[in-house]
Amino acid sequence: MTLQQLQYVIAIVEHGSISETAKQLYVAQPTLSSAVRTLEEEFGILIFHRSARGIALTEDGREFLSYARQVVEQADLLHQHYGATRQTRQRCSISTQHYAFAVDAFVQLIQRLSPESYEFTLRETRTHEIMEDVRNFDSEIGILYLSSFNEKVLRAMLEEYHLEFHSLTMAEPHVFLRAAHPLAKRTSVTTADLEPYPFLCFEQGVHNSFYFAEELLSTVPHKKSIRVSDRATLFNLLRGVNGYTICSGMVSADLNGGDIVSVPLDTAERMEIGWISNPKTQTSRAAKLYIQELQHVLAEYQKK
């Protein structure tokens, strides 16, 4: 089957006969008849009823025509998208755990590039899906963290997926609280201090393993816990139910509001934040610039 054969069938239907189609396309009638016959033999169907009065679509032919039109339309879209007259647009796709600094860096990237045309994607998603995205080339890079607890498991999975981890920074664990929380003025808190309050965490779907948790100390039991799927909901719950979450401590007043504070968590655990890549693909200029912005934003957060 060729694209031209499908175009011939569509044209024959539109013009009502092979002879008229031949005139309009400046193609010999035997060429059109042969194209149709080849398709019928390949798929084992009869596309047209032929009679002295002309041709008509069979039931199989009507179904075949709907599929043929879809294929030809998709081919036209490809030509429009990648044709010689298309505008060059920058593309970049990033998957990340739910980090404000990742969004901050993304904003900085767009402001830095200011191209006339671009197609960027930023996905805040689950840990396992980040690795899947990079593995399947749906995202150029992924952002996640390693700790002494999850490192062995995640590195084994990265190796299985043939992905590379690049360290960005080491972060000391903090908790996010609303500014009016009873613990918000403390210089540090312990897990015992936090026990009376609801623990907020990001759900990980079918891969809801402790090793994939975005929060440190995921195996510590909690009397009250709430799982959420997005960052906006988590921050609303921080404000509404006096909850807390364990994180890197890097909070953006611009993105999350000035009523959320970060308090150090008293633990020996550390977070190694980094980005993952697939060595089978070349990193785009936009992705490289995004990594630079990440490094800059992380450095600024840590100064604060």
Side-chain angles (χ1 to χ4, degrees), residues 26-293:
Y26 303 101
V27 177
Q29 289 190 41
T31 300
L32 294 177
S33 299
S34 175
V36 173
R37 191 161 48 251
T38 300
L39 286 172
E40 290 176 328
E41 290 173 356
E42 180 175 348
F43 293 104
I45 61 173
L46 190 65
I47 298 175
F48 294 109
H49 283 304
R50 297 165 178 83
S51 67
R53 292 179 295 176
I55 59 172
L57 280 169
T58 65
E59 186 175 339
D60 284 336
R62 284 192 294 272
E63 183 179 29
F64 181 85
L65 180 65
S66 68
Y67 285 110
R69 281 179 169 150
Q70 290 180 49
V71 173
V72 171
E73 286 169 2
Q74 290 297 316
D76 289 342
L77 288 173
L78 280 172
H79 282 296
Q80 292 172 24
H81 191 74
Y82 293 105
T85 59
R86 77 185 180 101
Q87 288 187 339
T88 301
R89 66 171 62 185
Q90 297 198 53
R91 291 181 174 81
C92 183
S93 181
I94 296 152
S95 294
T96 176
Q97 291 177 323
H98 298 78
Y99 294 132
F101 63 79
V103 181
D104 259 354
F106 197 77
V107 172
Q108 296 299 323
L109 170 70
I110 294 173
Q111 292 176 346
R112 178 175 175 180
L113 288 175
S114 297
E116 291 185 3
S117 179
Y118 59 80
E119 187 177 315
F120 292 160
T121 302
L122 179 64
R123 296 186 64 213
E124 285 190 331
T125 188
R126 300 161 178 167
T127 305
H128 186 273
E129 289 174 2
I130 293 170
M131 292 184 276
E132 288 282 354
D133 285 348
V134 179
R135 178 196 194 187
N136 297 328
F137 309 107
D138 293 323
S139 288
E140 284 191 67
I141 63 175
I143 303 166
L144 45 74
Y145 83 92
L146 301 179
S147 67
S148 60
F149 175 72
N150 72 9
E151 182 172 11
K152 186 175 181 180
V153 171
L154 292 195
R155 282 197 182 276
M157 190 169 177
L158 291 172
E159 183 176 353
E160 179 187 347
Y161 283 7
H162 305 291
L163 304 179
E164 297 175 347
F165 178 85
H166 313 266
S167 182
L168 285 167
T169 189
M170 296 296 295
E172 296 184 2
H174 287 62
V175 293
F176 282 167
L177 306 165
R178 71 185 184 100
H181 194 284
L183 302 176
K185 302 297 183 183
R186 298 277 292 270
T187 55
S188 67
V189 294
T190 66
T191 53
D193 295 328
L194 296 165
E195 188 176 0
Y197 304 101
F199 171 61
L200 308 178
C201 61
F202 291 107
E203 57 94 14
Q204 297 295 321
V206 295
H207 299 282
N208 200 28
S209 162
F210 290 131
Y211 297 109
F212 293 117
E214 295 188 44
E215 304 78 23
L216 284 172
L217 309 178
S218 58
T219 57
V220 173
H222 304 279
K223 290 196 300 183
K224 306 172 185 176
S225 65
I226 303 173
R227 297 186 184 277
V228 300
S229 60
D230 67 89
R231 192 156 46 88
T233 300
L234 184 140
F235 277 93
N236 285 334
L237 288 172
L238 286 179
R239 299 180 181 98
V241 300
N242 256 3
Y244 74 94
T245 191
I246 300 174
C247 57
S248 65
M250 290 175 269
V251 62
S252 169
D254 292 336
L255 294 175
N256 302 319
D259 58 340
I260 300 296
V261 299
S262 177
V263 179
L265 179 63
D266 187 8
T267 177
E269 189 62 273
R270 294 293 180 268
M271 301 173 68
E272 183 179 9
I273 298 170
W275 57 281
I276 61 173
S277 63
N278 191 328
K280 294 179 182 178
T281 185
Q282 186 174 7
T283 306
S284 69
R285 174 176 175 268
K288 290 177 181 177
L289 291 176
Y290 177 71
I291 294 165
Q292 291 179 15
E293 293 300 334

